[in-house]
Amino acid sequence: YNDSMKIADFYWNMGWYYSDMEVLDSAYFNYGKARHIFKEVGHIYYTAKMEYNIAYILRRSKNYIESEAFAFRSISNLKNLDKNLLLYRCYNHLGLLYNDLEEFPFSIEYHMKAMALIEKLPKKVNYLERSLNNLSLVYQKQQKYEEAIEALDKALLNETLQDKHTNLYAKLIDNRAYCRFLKGEN
């Protein structure tokens, strides 16, 4: 009962559980409790992780303004830490969020910031291909089909996708075909 880190970890796990079960209000509540404790004990990185998790939940709930605020709080906490994967995720999140809001220049800006961090990540497990897919969705919404197809073609240059990452490969192929259809190709 007196171990703050274990209590915060409990709330973090509950937040993850409820997020996975799509009970978003309970996920938000538990991540918020964990964030509060991590912040109180001065664990900046875990505070930033909870802020990202909260931002993610809020975007899924279509609460875009608060989602944006929590993403920026997380980024602010990460400034002096060498935690590029979480920073990548925050930038990617903002790219997705601004696409939802049809704020396309901001969406592209944050997807580019996310992609700029990929070289600094220890494992580069398809982050570039996922980011290119997300970027293509921005172009698609703007009816810039050539740019969308170009981004998807670049992602599909990774020859390991078809055998090792079939879900991502299928998503890229499907999005490219849809862009071609929207462009008027048969």
Side-chain angles (χ1 to χ4, degrees), residues 133-184:
N133 182 63
N134 292 339
L135 187 59
S136 79
L137 297 175
V138 179
Y139 293 135
Q140 184 187 95
K141 261 190 169 178
Q142 293 178 290
Q143 298 179 351
K144 294 181 178 179
Y145 304 122
E146 282 301 322
E147 288 94 332
I149 292 167
E150 188 177 306
L152 293 163
D153 284 342
K154 187 174 178 183
L156 287 163
L157 290 174
N158 182 340
E159 295 176 3
T160 66
L161 291 175
Q162 190 171 4
D163 294 329
K164 294 184 179 178
H165 307 281
T166 53
N167 286 343
L168 178 56
Y169 178 75
K171 184 183 292 189
L172 293 166
I173 293 291
D174 182 58
N175 286 344
R176 186 175 63 176
Y178 186 57
C179 284
R180 286 181 172 165
F181 168 76
L182 292 173
K183 189 179 156 197

Side-chain angles (χ1 to χ4, degrees), residues 23-38:
V23 184
L24 301 182
D25 58 340
S26 295
Y28 174 85
F29 173 81
N30 283 282
Y31 284 142
K33 294 286 270 186
R35 175 185 172 265
H36 177 74
I37 296 168
F38 286 135

Side-chain angles (χ1 to χ4, degrees), residues 24-114:
L24 301 182
D25 58 340
S26 295
Y28 174 85
F29 173 81
N30 283 282
Y31 284 142
K33 294 286 270 186
R35 175 185 172 265
H36 177 74
I37 296 168
F38 286 135
K39 191 173 183 177
E40 226 173 51
V41 299
H43 202 301
I44 297 168
Y45 175 60
Y46 285 166
T47 300
K49 279 189 90 140
M50 294 309 105
E51 288 166 343
Y52 167 76
N53 290 342
I54 291 168
Y56 178 78
I57 293 299
L58 289 167
R59 180 176 165 262
R60 287 172 54 196
S61 304
K62 299 188 186 305
N63 187 339
Y64 299 120
I65 303 303
E66 282 191 69
S67 177
E68 176 187 40
F70 273 99
F72 280 117
R73 283 184 194 144
S74 183
I75 290 168
S76 178
N77 277 320
L78 293 168
K79 280 186 181 176
N80 297 321
L81 303 176
D82 187 27
K83 299 294 185 182
N84 291 315
L85 180 56
L86 184 56
L87 192 55
Y88 165 85
R89 288 180 175 152
C90 287
Y91 287 149
N92 184 64
H93 174 83
L94 287 168
L96 295 168
L97 182 141
Y98 288 128
N99 192 34
D100 291 343
L101 292 171
E102 298 186 354
E103 294 286 345
F104 303 123
F106 289 125
S107 181
I108 292 168
E109 175 186 344
Y110 283 100
H111 283 306
M112 294 300 187
K113 284 185 176 192

Side-chain angles (χ1 to χ4, degrees), residues 1-11 37-38 40-41:
Y1 289 108
N2 294 321
D3 188 339
S4 296
M5 290 297 284
K6 285 188 178 168
I7 294 169
D9 193 46
F10 166 79
Y11 284 119
I37 296 168
F38 286 135
E40 226 173 51
V41 299

